[in-house]
Amino acid sequence: MPQDLSAVPWPVRTARLSLRPAAPADADAIWQVRRVPGVDEWLSHSVGDRDSYVARLRDPERLAVTLVIELDGRVIGDLMLKIEDSWAQGDAPCPQQATLGWVLDPECGGHGYATEAVAGLLRICFEDLGLRRVRAYCFVENEPSWRLMERLGMRREEHSVRDSLHRTRGWLDGYAYALLADEWLARV
């Protein structure tokens, strides 16, 4: 079982997009997308100023889990693919699941790019990396995100009540979604 993304033949192409691991040189382009007003509303970190964001993205641990979404060679968003150990009895690591995340430039909204990119990410998880399960989280109020998960066949597994602290809105409800490899493979 791969511990990182080196098993994937990069770049991965979808019908209209290209997905690849982020590089330090991508930091400014990703920041340009994330700094658009409202984009960081539902993200775990405020985008902040350029220099602090670029430094955070260039951290090797952050780069290791960040993919870039390109449309005709232009960065239009980014994805998170964090491979994690599944809960298991015993001492051996069991890296068979991943947590996913995504950001798309709002100017590119309404064309199905987010759905296409995350579907490509699911394919990478299950077909290239052989993961058993993926999951993603969002605030209940982030309707575009949970609708995307449902379009892709992810199952809502949890509705938690005021367990997630939002920067400006206080304690909010959250959703957890997941998809198993056999569920994905049955659809393709």
Side-chain angles (χ1 to χ4, degrees), residues 23-31 45-64 66:
D26 295 314
D28 194 58
I30 295 171
W31 180 76
H45 292 96
S46 171
V47 71
D49 66 82
R50 181 201 174 279
D51 291 340
S52 61
Y53 182 77
V54 166
R56 186 172 48 226
L57 181 72
R58 288 182 176 169
D59 178 274
E61 287 184 26
R62 178 70 181 261
L63 272 177
T66 304

Side-chain angles (χ1 to χ4, degrees), residues 144-162:
S145 193
W146 60 258
R147 287 201 182 275
L148 169 63
M149 291 184 253
E150 290 180 358
R151 267 195 310 280
L152 292 168
M154 296 181 79
R155 168 186 53 266
R156 185 181 300 166
E157 293 189 329
E158 180 181 333
H159 177 171
S160 53
V161 177
R162 291 184 297 202

